[in-house]
Amino acid sequence: MENYLRLIIVILLTICALSRGLLVVGPKVIDSHQEYKLLVVNDDKSKSVATVQVLLEGIENDEIVVNHLPRNVNVPYAQMRSVKFMLPRNVSPSASIKLTVKGTGGFRFHEEIDLELRNTSIAGLVQLDKPVYKPGDRIKFRVIVLNAELKPPADLVLISVKVLDSLGNVIKSWRAVKLAVGVFEGQLQVAANPAFGIWSVTVRVGDEQIGSKTFEVKKHVVMPFDLQVGTSTVPLVKHAGLNLTINAKGHSDIPAKGMAKVKLYLNSGVLDQMQQFHVDGEIRKWFPFNGELEAAEIQQNVRVKVTFIEQHTNATLTKDTYITVYKYPYRAELVKVNSGLSFKYALQCKHHDGTPAKGIAGNVRIDHFSYEKPAITDAEGLIELELNVTAEEFDVHLSYDSNRSNPRESYE
C-alpha cells in the first residue's frame, strides 16, 4: 500500500504559484468525478487579509463541460484556506481545463494554470519477487490495480500485461486477463541466453498504460549482503536444542534487515521444525528440538537451512549449515609426552573450541593394567599417566565429575 501512495504522489504533479506573498498549491493532474482541492496561503505582511477569487472551468469543442461559480476566499496573514470543487462525471481527456486565481478588493494577484485530465482514475502497482535475475531463473510478479480510493475498481475486470527485455522485445504477454479482487499474478522463466540489461513489466487498460516496473537480468548475480549461521554456545545433546546466531550484513558491514525462514533437520534429515521471524542485522534465538536427537556416537550433526529475504530489494540468500552437537562437553586423546630421554603417556583434554580443559577433576581407569586413579587436568589440559606400557592396545576410561556433565570415553 505504501508503494501505491508513492505512485500517486509521483503522478499528481503539484502546481505552485507564488506571487506578492500569496502561495497557491494544488494538483496539476485531475480526475473526473473526483474532488479537486486547492490550498491558498497568505504570506504578505502588508495584507492582514488577502481576498482572492478562484474559478475552475473546462471547454471541449467550444462547449462548456466544467462550469463552477467563482469562489471568493478570505485568507488572513500567515494562515491557510482551502477551496474545493467537485468535477463532473465523464469529462473527456481532450477537454481544456483551466484554473484561474485572481485578487479582489484591491489585492493585485492573477494566475491562470492549465490542468491535465487523466484518462482513468486507476493505477497499477507491479511487485516482483526480487530485483535481479540470472539465466534460468523464474520471474514471479503480481499486478495490483487500485482506484483513487485505494480499492479494487468495481467496474474493471480485464487488463493486459507485457514483459519486455532490454532490447524492447516482447518476451511474454497476457491479453485481456481477468483480475481477482484487483490482483493478477503471473510468471515466466528467463531463457538460457537472454538479452542482459534492464527489463520491464507494463500494465495497460485498453491503450493506456496504468503501471510498470523495471528489473535487471544479469549473467551473474552478486548478493548485496552476506549471511552467516552459527551457535553462540557449544551445543550438547543434553541441551536438546540449539542457540542459533544468524548474522546478515551488507557491504561495509552495514546490518541487513529482512525475514529469515529457518528449517531444522534432525536424525537422517528428518524435518524437526520450521520458524519464520524478522532479523535486523543479527539475532540470537533458542530452538528447542521437538524430537529426540539420536546420539549413538560421541557427536551428531544437525542440519540448519536458513533463507534470508532482504526487505528493501527482496534479494534472497539461502545457507545450508551442519551444526555439530556433542555428547560430552570435552574431548580427549591419548598422547606421548617427551620427558627427558623417554616418553610418557598422558591424556590431552580440550574443550570443543580447541582450548585446553583446565582444572577438570575426574577419574582415570585402565583395566588392562588394573590402573585406577583420581586426576585433575593441568594448565595445558593434560593428565600424566604413570604407566609401564608393554601392550600395543589398551582401553583408557576417563570420567569427569562436574555439575554439568559426567562424560565417559574409551581410547585404545
Side-chain angles (χ1 to χ4, degrees), residues 298-299 326-333 347-350 352 363-365 395-400 406-412:
I298 60 175
Q299 64 186 50
Y326 299 95
K327 192 172 184 178
Y328 308 120
Y330 316 108
R331 64 175 186 262
E333 60 179 334
L347 285 177
Q348 174 69 73
C349 301
K350 295 181 180 180
H352 291 294
N363 188 69
V364 179
R365 191 182 86 249
D395 292 338
V396 179
H397 298 273
L398 174 62
S399 63
Y400 292 103
N406 186 24
R408 299 182 179 276
E409 305 205 20
S410 297
Y411 301 90
E412 293 186 349

Side-chain angles (χ1 to χ4, degrees), residues 20-251:
R20 296 181 180 86
L22 191 71
L23 177 65
V24 180
V25 180
K28 174 74 172 176
V29 180
I30 60 177
D31 298 310
S32 62
H33 197 55
Q34 297 291 326
E35 184 181 72
Y36 181 75
K37 184 177 179 179
L38 196 69
L39 298 179
V40 183
V41 181
N42 179 10
D43 196 34
D44 189 346
K45 294 181 179 180
S46 65
K47 288 288 184 180
S48 59
V49 177
T51 302
V52 295
Q53 188 179 82
V54 183
L55 176 64
L56 184 66
E57 54 188 348
I59 299 177
E60 182 182 11
N61 298 327
D62 297 327
E63 292 186 7
I64 298 175
V65 292
V66 179
N67 185 19
H68 285 281
L69 295 176
R71 306 280 179 85
N72 292 319
V73 184
N74 298 319
V75 188
Y77 169 66
Q79 294 190 30
M80 176 179 63
R81 292 291 184 266
S82 64
V83 186
K84 299 178 182 179
F85 296 97
M86 189 65 188
L87 296 172
R89 285 182 180 272
N90 303 323
V91 179
S92 171
S94 61
S96 175
I97 311 294
K98 183 172 67 173
L99 176 71
T100 303
V101 182
K102 60 182 180 179
T104 62
F107 180 64
R108 298 182 62 186
F109 180 88
H110 189 91
E111 285 286 347
E112 292 185 1
I113 301 169
D114 292 325
L115 304 181
E116 300 174 14
L117 187 66
R118 282 198 298 184
N119 292 354
T120 178
S121 59
I122 62 173
L125 170 67
V126 181
Q127 294 179 330
L128 294 160
D129 61 330
K130 54 184 179 180
V132 183
Y133 299 86
K134 63 181 186 297
D137 280 356
R138 183 161 293 276
I139 302 170
K140 297 179 181 180
F141 67 90
R142 177 189 295 124
V143 177
I144 303 173
V145 180
L146 300 172
N147 60 21
E149 297 176 350
L150 304 184
K151 296 179 181 179
D155 55 348
L156 179 66
V157 180
L158 303 178
I159 61 171
S160 297
V161 181
K162 287 184 180 180
V163 176
L164 293 86
D165 67 11
S166 58
L167 302 177
N169 301 313
V170 177
I171 302 302
K172 189 169 183 178
S173 64
W174 293 261
R175 295 182 179 179
V177 293
K178 292 184 178 181
L179 294 174
V181 197
V183 177
F184 168 73
E185 293 184 345
Q187 57 179 284
L188 72 154
Q189 189 167 7
V190 181
N193 297 295
F196 298 114
I198 303 300
W199 291 30
S200 64
V201 180
T202 61
V203 185
R204 289 182 174 273
V205 173
D207 295 330
E208 183 182 2
Q209 180 174 310
I210 63 169
S212 67
K213 181 80 171 182
T214 60
F215 59 93
E216 189 173 7
V217 175
K218 300 176 67 173
K219 189 173 183 179
H220 301 288
V221 178
V222 179
M223 284 297 165
F225 59 89
D226 187 31
L227 184 65
Q228 299 294 331
V229 180
T231 57
S232 55
T233 57
V234 175
L236 302 177
V237 173
K238 70 171 187 175
H239 294 160
L242 295 178
N243 271 312
L244 281 185
T245 299
I246 300 173
N247 192 302
K249 287 187 177 181
H251 302 301

Side-chain angles (χ1 to χ4, degrees), residues 5-19:
L5 293 175
R6 290 176 182 170
L7 177 66
I8 294 296
I9 292 173
V10 172
I11 293 175
L12 300 182
L13 300 176
T14 301
I15 62 170
C16 181
L18 178 63
S19 177

Side-chain angles (χ1 to χ4, degrees), residues 265-305:
Y265 300 84
L266 296 186
N267 315 301
S268 302
V270 177
L271 180 62
D272 179 72
Q273 62 183 275
M274 182 168 49
Q275 294 191 34
Q276 180 173 312
F277 45 85
H278 182 77
V279 175
D280 187 353
E282 182 179 271
I283 191 171
R284 296 184 179 184
K285 189 173 177 62
W286 168 246
F287 287 79
F289 297 150
N290 292 325
E292 184 177 353
L293 181 65
E294 297 174 1
E297 304 296 330
I298 60 175
Q299 64 186 50
Q300 178 73 36
N301 285 336
V302 173
R303 181 186 173 198
V304 179
K305 184 178 180 180

Side-chain angles (χ1 to χ4, degrees), residues 296-331:
E297 304 296 330
I298 60 175
Q299 64 186 50
Q300 178 73 36
N301 285 336
V302 173
R303 181 186 173 198
V304 179
K305 184 178 180 180
V306 179
T307 299
F308 181 79
I309 306 171
E310 206 275 332
Q311 69 177 14
H312 297 296
T313 64
N314 280 336
T316 303
L317 183 61
T318 299
K319 278 289 181 73
D320 222 337
T321 307
Y322 286 86
I323 305 292
T324 302
V325 180
Y326 299 95
K327 192 172 184 178
Y328 308 120
Y330 316 108
R331 64 175 186 262

